[in-house]
């Protein structure tokens, strides 16, 4: 067993600053989404489906894109289906595989919530950063994400979108 390499003062400040910021930011963004009747998870699914071809994704693809477990995706889709935001359909070629499809109602809820969410992201986060700081965050994400997951980087981070 190797000896623990403790964080030095600067590393501790960076780590604790990141943790405090990410938790508070997520809480603020979540509060603002709840005003639109959505959770952060709801919004994530709605956005992913709205950007998918024919507003549909395989559940395993949704797991990979959202970085969630199969169980979490399954429960999330069930809850959203009960509210009419998405529909779960079986794969015609393989009934063991399912797809999530964005309903018209889900698309409308997303259209209504998106402007307030973007305003929230700007107000709580982006407006407090320079363009250079935003670019540094992209660089940090590109450095760290490949070590956290084998999933391909989202096109928005790669600059493809």
């Amino acid at each position: 067993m190797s000896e623990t390499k403790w964080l030095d003062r600067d590393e501790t400040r960076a780590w604790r600053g990141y943790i405090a910021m990410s938790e508070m930011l997520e809480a603020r963004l979540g509060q603002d989404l709840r005003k639109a009747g959505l959770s952060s998870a709801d919004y994530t699914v709605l956005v992913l489906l709205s950007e998918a071809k024919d507003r549909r994704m395989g559940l395993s693809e949704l797991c990979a894109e959202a970085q969630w477990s199969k169980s979490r995706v399954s429960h999330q889709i069930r809850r959203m289906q009960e509210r009419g935001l998405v529909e779960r359909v079986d794969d015609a070629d393989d009934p063991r595989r399912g797809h999530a499809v964005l309903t018209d109602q889900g698309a409308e809820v997303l259209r209504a919530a998106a402007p307030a969410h973007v305003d929230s992201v700007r107000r709580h986060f982006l407006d407090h950063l320079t363009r250079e700081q935003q670019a540094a965050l992209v660089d940090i994400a590109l450095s760290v994400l490949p070590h956290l997951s084998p999933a391909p980087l989202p096109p928005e981070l790669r600059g493809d979108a």
Side-chain angles (χ1 to χ4, degrees):
M1 188 169 181
S2 64
E3 189 173 318
T4 300
K5 183 180 175 189
W6 297 104
L7 302 182
D8 66 26
R9 183 175 182 265
D10 291 338
E11 291 169 330
T12 298
R13 289 182 68 223
W15 175 244
R16 289 186 181 169
Y18 165 77
I19 292 297
M21 179 187 66
S22 65
E23 288 179 0
M24 285 187 230
L25 182 59
E26 188 63 33
R28 291 285 171 90
L29 296 175
Q31 285 173 339
D32 290 347
L33 278 172
R34 280 191 294 281
K35 293 174 187 172
L38 295 172
S39 67
S40 294
D42 292 336
Y43 194 82
T44 296
V45 170
L46 292 175
V47 168
L48 289 173
L49 291 177
S50 75
E51 294 172 347
K53 185 178 190 294
D54 299 326
R55 300 185 335 183
R56 86 181 318 161
M57 288 181 90
L59 296 179
S60 58
E61 183 184 3
L62 191 55
C63 289
E65 289 291 323
Q67 294 291 300
W68 294 346
S69 68
K70 289 179 183 179
S71 175
R72 181 174 180 187
V73 166
S74 178
H75 289 297
Q76 183 64 39
I77 294 301
R78 180 186 46 76
R79 286 188 298 267
M80 292 177 75
Q81 187 172 8
E82 289 169 356
R83 293 167 34 221
L85 302 175
V86 300
E87 184 178 320
R88 187 191 187 287
V89 295
D90 289 332
D91 186 307
D93 297 326
D94 184 353
R96 296 170 297 168
R97 294 178 35 153
H99 292 270
V101 181
L102 181 64
T103 64
D104 290 342
Q105 180 182 343
E108 185 52 41
V109 167
L110 178 60
R111 267 191 292 283
H117 179 66
V118 169
D119 178 63
S120 181
V121 169
R122 288 191 178 285
R123 187 175 68 252
H124 297 305
F125 186 60
L126 293 174
D127 288 349
H128 305 285
L129 302 174
T130 65
R131 287 291 181 170
E132 291 79 19
Q133 289 170 320
Q134 292 172 25
L137 277 173
V138 172
D139 288 343
I140 291 166
L142 290 171
S143 294
V144 174
L145 285 172
H147 299 282
L148 299 176
S149 171
L153 292 169
E156 300 82 16
L157 272 178
R158 292 190 315 259
D160 300 351

